[in-house]
Amino acid sequence: RYCYERNLAVNPQGGNTGLVGGSVPVFDEIILSTVLMNQIISFDKVSGILVCQAGCVLEKLNKYLEQQGFIMPLDLGAKGSCHIGGNVATNAGGLRLLRYGSLRGTVLGLEVVLADGSALDCLASLRKDNTGYDLKQLFIGSEGTLGVITAVSILCPQKPKAVNLAFLGCQSFAKVLETFTTCRAMLGEILSAYEFMDDKCMELVEKHLKLSSPVTGSPFYVLIETSGSNSTHDEEKLNSFLEQAMTSGLVTDGTVATDDKKIKATRFIWISLIPQMLWSLRERITEALTHDGYVYKYDISLPVGKLYDLVTDTRARLGRSAKNVVGYGHLGDGNLHLNITAESYSHSLLEAIEPFVYEWTARYSGSISAEHGLGFKKKQFIQYSKPPEAVFLMQRFKAMLDPKGILNPYKMLPSSS
């Protein structure tokens, strides 16, 4: 309210883990931090509904819920720092989206402070509510441009009793896709994650972080997680899938991590360890890339059949002007993380990458931002994923809810003329 009355721009900021400059001030905005808004308001063990303030750190929420026999419906590499309010404001995706869906489905209600300082209390704890427009959806993914999220009501799934992780090697991306089809058909309801990475990712993880992969010598690697309530049932299904994948030539090598020492398989090495040890090979790719030089990062959503073609075409286009071009991501929901490294920032290299990557993505009806938002860095490219009519309507919403334009200015939307 103070800033609204004085025409002062406000930059909402949570854990500041975003990758597109959405939580970073551009000029002289006042930073409004939610770090002290870190209280859990309530948790209902019957419904699994958690109500908490926006500044709660994701990992801390998950630890709290695990003590109650539940988990958060989202998980991502920045979980130790990111805030749930920022997760909702950017509609963060992450590693569990394949199983539990996006925040647009699991968030039940929000408390939001509008540009003029008035509070909008839509903090419902109901799974069904068809009274009028679903206003919370306006603020999920709005990147702090329409209001500041101060509290969240979110539906949390029960903690799975049995978790297994398979790390597999495939000889081509076509095999990765075929493995996914077989995996989804044979594992069904217990499939909770399907991640892929190319051999360049593994090289960087091993080189810069000194992590050793239990599976080597493949052009592509797949990480599959199952989670369910019956370990015997899950192990039988996973065993059947692995035998099928190996026998049919989809997979050439593999390792399985489990908490249960009783598991046996004829063609795979089963290791009794915490599955998170294998997860680190996937989750720490971003960290490894930062050690490789300056990183150009792209978060793309594409039809799964075309997912890796963008990496191949980008690699061919850039040639030796780039140090490394790697691809990895959430294949289960068509989300590619394309990363290009160079010794240092180069404007000529950036011009070779952009808008090529966005034009390529638009050609195949993809999204230039699958889960990281547009922020400051990508707002001028929104037209590659949204038609002018949609952008105009977004600008009208912005003008209505924030007539003075004080909320996170210069972010997400191109300037309206």
Side-chain angles (χ1 to χ4, degrees):
R1 187 182 299 114
Y2 179 94
C3 294
Y4 186 80
E5 291 169 352
R6 291 161 179 80
N7 295 323
L8 299 173
V10 177
N11 183 180
Q13 190 176 96
N16 204 20
T17 60
L19 298 174
V20 290
S23 59
V24 181
V26 179
F27 295 110
D28 57 355
E29 302 94 294
I30 293 171
I31 294 177
L32 178 61
S33 173
T34 59
V35 69
L36 297 180
M37 302 184 69
N38 57 6
Q39 301 299 307
I40 293 173
I41 299 170
S42 66
F43 178 66
D44 188 326
K45 290 184 180 181
V46 177
S47 64
I49 297 171
L50 172 75
V51 182
C52 64
Q53 292 182 327
C56 291
V57 174
L58 179 60
E59 188 172 45
K60 291 182 178 179
L61 287 176
N62 202 66
K63 287 180 178 179
Y64 167 82
L65 288 169
E66 283 186 341
Q67 296 173 357
Q68 317 292 324
F70 289 78
I71 58 172
M72 289 295 287
L74 75 158
D75 183 27
L76 50 151
K79 58 191 170 189
S81 304
C82 65
H83 295 181
I84 186 62
N87 297 149
V88 174
T90 56
N91 190 30
L95 305 168
R96 292 177 179 166
L97 192 141
L98 176 64
R99 176 68 174 271
Y100 301 117
S102 76
L103 287 172
R104 292 196 179 279
T106 54
V107 170
L108 303 179
L110 294 175
E111 179 187 76
V112 182
V113 175
L114 303 178
D116 63 1
S118 58
L120 176 65
D121 185 356
C122 291
L123 202 60
S125 294
L126 301 172
R127 295 189 65 177
K128 288 185 173 181
D129 182 4
N130 278 340
T131 50
Y133 302 124
D134 190 1
L135 294 179
K136 70 175 182 291
Q137 295 294 346
L138 270 179
F139 302 98
I140 299 173
S142 67
E143 302 185 49
T145 61
L146 300 180
V148 180
I149 295 171
T150 52
V152 178
S153 172
I154 188 165
L155 180 65
C156 303
Q158 285 194 299
K159 181 181 178 181
K161 295 178 181 178
V163 176
N164 296 306
L165 208 63
F167 193 82
L168 314 174
C170 295
Q171 290 302 305
S172 67
F173 190 70
K175 296 289 187 185
V176 171
L177 293 174
E178 197 175 342
T179 301
F180 175 59
T181 303
T182 305
C183 173
R184 191 168 49 181
M186 296 187 70
L187 297 180
E189 79 287 351
I190 66 169
L191 178 63
S192 53
Y194 191 98
E195 303 286 307
F196 91 97
M197 59 222 79
D198 61 21
D199 56 349
K200 287 289 184 182
C201 291
M202 287 298 98
E203 286 178 19
L204 294 176
V205 167
E206 292 178 348
K207 176 182 177 181
H208 296 299
L209 304 181
K210 310 304 178 187
L211 296 178
S212 58
S213 171
V215 180
T216 58
S218 296
F220 293 93
Y221 298 94
V222 169
L223 188 150
I224 299 169
E225 183 188 73
T226 67
S227 54
S229 59
N230 187 313
S231 59
T232 302
H233 169 267
D234 293 2
E235 290 155 17
E236 288 176 355
K237 295 191 78 164
L238 184 56
N239 262 323
S240 296
F241 160 71
L242 293 173
E243 291 291 339
Q244 172 67 22
M246 181 64 81
T247 303
S248 60
L250 296 177
V251 171
T252 54
D253 196 4
T255 298
V256 179
T258 178
D259 296 311
D260 193 337
K261 296 180 181 180
K262 296 181 294 183
I263 291 182
K264 300 294 179 186
T266 57
R267 297 174 183 264
F268 286 82
I269 301 170
W270 290 73
I271 307 174
S272 179
L273 47 71
I274 300 172
Q276 280 74 9
M277 294 177 69
L278 279 181
W279 264 120
S280 63
L281 293 171
R282 161 63 180 86
E283 288 186 315
R284 297 185 68 186
I285 293 173
T286 299
E287 181 185 348
L289 285 161
T290 62
H291 292 287
D292 201 53
Y294 185 88
V295 188
Y296 302 83
K297 307 178 78 68
Y298 298 91
D299 164 46
I300 306 295
S301 184
L302 287 164
V304 283
K306 302 298 297 182
L307 208 61
Y308 200 74
D309 289 351
L310 176 56
V311 182
T312 304
D313 290 356
T314 303
R315 195 174 283 155
R317 176 180 173 84
L318 300 182
R320 294 185 177 181
S321 61
K323 189 175 179 181
N324 279 297
V325 179
V326 307
Y328 66 98
H330 320 296
L331 188 132
D333 47 63
N335 185 182
L336 169 72
H337 295 307
L338 170 68
N339 285 251
I340 299 145
T341 65
E343 292 294 346
S344 59
Y345 172 79
S346 165
H347 187 68
S348 61
L349 180 56
L350 179 63
E351 287 185 328
I353 300 169
E354 298 177 7
F356 167 77
V357 167
Y358 301 130
E359 291 172 344
W360 197 103
T361 302
R363 192 180 313 135
Y364 295 101
S365 302
S367 169
I368 66 165
S369 176
E371 62 179 1
H372 292 162
L374 295 170
F376 177 71
K377 296 181 72 174
K378 297 183 179 181
K379 65 170 186 173
Q380 68 271 30
F381 300 114
I382 191 173
Q383 73 274 8
Y384 287 103
S385 293
K386 292 290 184 288
E389 296 82 4
V391 176
F392 177 65
L393 191 56
M394 292 179 199
Q395 290 168 331
R396 290 179 65 186
F397 279 125
K398 170 71 171 173
M400 180 183 68
L401 291 172
D402 183 17
K404 294 186 177 182
I406 69 165
L407 282 178
N408 219 8
Y410 326 112
K411 312 291 173 60
M412 199 173 90
L413 295 176
S415 301
S416 54
S417 54

